[in-house]
């Protein structure tokens, strides 16, 4: 009976070891997945910051172009007025 009991205990210990290894393996997979998710989140956050900076840069560029366009329109109007005055003086 003692030998049989030892055999059962050994079987239970072996089964417990297998379950512990399986649980550890799943734990490592979960940790890996969580770390990957954090990494992806950080990458997205960095990408979002880059895009926000690019948008701000493009807005500033658009404003510069708008001001330049208005200046050119004014210059064109002034030149057209000068040409008209020059033609009427002849």
């Amino acid at each position: 009976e003692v030998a049989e009991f030892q055999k059962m205990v050994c079987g239970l210990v072996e089964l417990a070891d297998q379950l512990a290894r399986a649980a550890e393996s799943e734990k490592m997979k979960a940790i890996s997945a969580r770390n990957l998710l954090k990494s992806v989140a950080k990458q997205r956050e960095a990408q979002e910051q880059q895009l926000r900076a690019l948008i701000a840069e493009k807005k500033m560029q658009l404003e510069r172009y708008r001001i330049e366009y208005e200046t050119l329109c004014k210059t064109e109007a002034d030149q057209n007025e000068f040409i008209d005055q020059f033609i009427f003086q002849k």
Side-chain angles (χ1 to χ4, degrees), residues 9 22 26 36 39 44 46 52 66 68 73 77 88-90:
V9 168
E26 291 301 317
L36 180 61
S39 174
R44 284 189 180 166
R52 287 185 189 275
R66 186 190 61 76
E68 184 178 354
C73 285
F88 286 130
Q89 286 178 358
K90 280 191 167 185

Side-chain angles (χ1 to χ4, degrees), residues 18-32:
Q18 289 174 357
L19 290 174
R21 284 192 296 270
E24 188 65 27
S25 174
E26 291 301 317
K27 177 181 167 185
M28 295 306 283
K29 286 179 186 177
I31 290 171
S32 176

